[in-house]
Amino acid sequence: MLNKLEIAPNAYWVGYVDDRKVPFHRLILEKGTTYNSYFLDTEKPTLIDTVDIEFGKVFVENLSQIIDPMKLAYIVINHVEPDHAGALPALISKAKNAKIVTTALGAEELKNMFRLHNREFVIIKDGDTLDIGGKTLQFFETPYLHTEETMVTYCVEDKILYPCDQFSSHVATYELFNDLAKEDISPDFNVYYQLIMHPHRPYVQDMLQKISGLDIQMIAPSHGYILRTEVEKYIKAYDEMSKPKGDKKAAILFSTMTGNTTKVAKLIAEGLEEKGIEFRIINVDNADQETIKEAILESDALFLGSSTRYADMVGKLEDVLKELRNMDLSEKLAIAFGSYGWSGEAIQVIQDYLMTSGMKVVDSSLLIKSTGMTHIQLPLRIKFAPADEGVDQCVEVGKVIGDLLIA
């Protein structure tokens, strides 16, 4: 069983090849996978990521043949899911001097997952560097690729990017390097992107911007082949697959009592505008039916909102919602929103109407399942006028829906 492979001077693959049919994210990986971990044998010995929790014991045994875990200075955790950080509990009990390097959110999750509250963490932010004695590591936060705490690590001297799940492929291979593969790896590379990264494609573009200034000669991901040839080809593939496609439009339709819902609508529009989405804001109480119908039919996303009065909607919004049932809107996104002073029942009533409209209703459940986002709450409920966090929340909703439209 392979347990060590040099990828650069004093840099080694020390992962695990799982050549079974592997259950993974509600899928079966027919070709298996690799759990890639990397050891940098420097003055301050450093490990980058671990392996799946199932193989923690054998991983630590293999690593202990290469270095005494007590000598590890740092353990970098790019991503806290069990297929990357799963061996950390088995390792950390032996690597008593090692500091854990990760993002602030990553640290909190690791502390709670593995009861590491008494361990020392090095918290990184975008662009931070760490001197490990003979090599310099630079870190970049890449949230939602594919969970919120994710980061990537770049070794300045080796010109190697360690991007965790990004640029991965699910293939069990003992060759490990893409130029040694017995067949073209592009299909597996592309399938991995579509299944794991594509739901988060706006953040792929953010990541590519962050690494654009780096001299990357090798990409060493957490699954599958290490890309030591044609690196630019694979970066370009991520760029092409994640670029926005087509011009999209949105309509924000609402009724209001005191103007608070108008403010919510305008803030949503700010988020849409930031993403380059063309939009129309329409107070349905002041618009004729033809204008409203035209806006509905020409839009790719519909926001429908109302203030709450006596546990119900106000104005003419309900008439609009009833008319939706008579239209073919199956290809459109629908989002409920509103402001309220007490319990805000109108917003949920709107949601109920949308669920029978034939549209794809975007709510918190859909966002979690499709993107992993937990910080957005939909339907959007704003108490009284939006202020402080409420302002940010409204704008962020517009941006998130904009991302869904342009993906």
Side-chain angles (χ1 to χ4, degrees), residues 18 20-29 35 52 54:
D18 189 355
R20 308 168 300 161
K21 292 184 177 181
V22 182
F24 186 84
H25 285 256
R26 302 185 70 187
L27 304 170
I28 298 295
L29 305 179
Y35 302 108
D52 188 82
E54 184 174 352

Side-chain angles (χ1 to χ4, degrees), residues 54-159:
E54 184 174 352
F55 307 108
K57 183 174 183 293
V58 68
F59 170 75
V60 174
E61 289 173 352
N62 290 339
L63 186 64
S64 298
Q65 296 176 27
I66 301 168
I67 183 175
D68 178 357
M70 285 291 289
K71 295 181 179 179
L72 280 175
Y74 298 107
I75 301 172
V76 176
I77 299 295
N78 285 319
H79 176 35
V80 306
E81 280 197 319
D83 56 323
H84 307 280
L88 186 59
L91 176 61
I92 209 72
S93 64
K94 297 181 180 296
K96 297 184 181 298
N97 298 315
K99 300 175 183 179
I100 302 170
V101 183
T102 191
T103 61
L105 181 56
E108 288 306 308
E109 293 184 351
L110 290 171
K111 288 175 184 177
N112 292 324
M113 286 171 60
F114 300 133
R115 300 180 181 178
L116 299 177
H117 295 83
N118 295 325
R119 294 305 298 246
E120 185 174 354
F121 284 79
V122 177
I123 305 301
I124 68 92
K125 295 181 180 179
D126 266 334
D128 283 354
T129 59
L130 179 66
D131 181 357
I132 60 173
K135 296 183 189 289
T136 306
L137 301 182
Q138 188 171 19
F139 307 99
F140 299 91
E141 296 180 83
T142 56
Y144 300 110
L145 295 178
H146 60 111
T147 52
E148 189 175 0
E149 85 295 341
T150 306
M151 69 181 196
V152 301
T153 301
Y154 175 68
C155 182
V156 176
E157 290 78 11
D158 294 340
K159 301 178 182 179

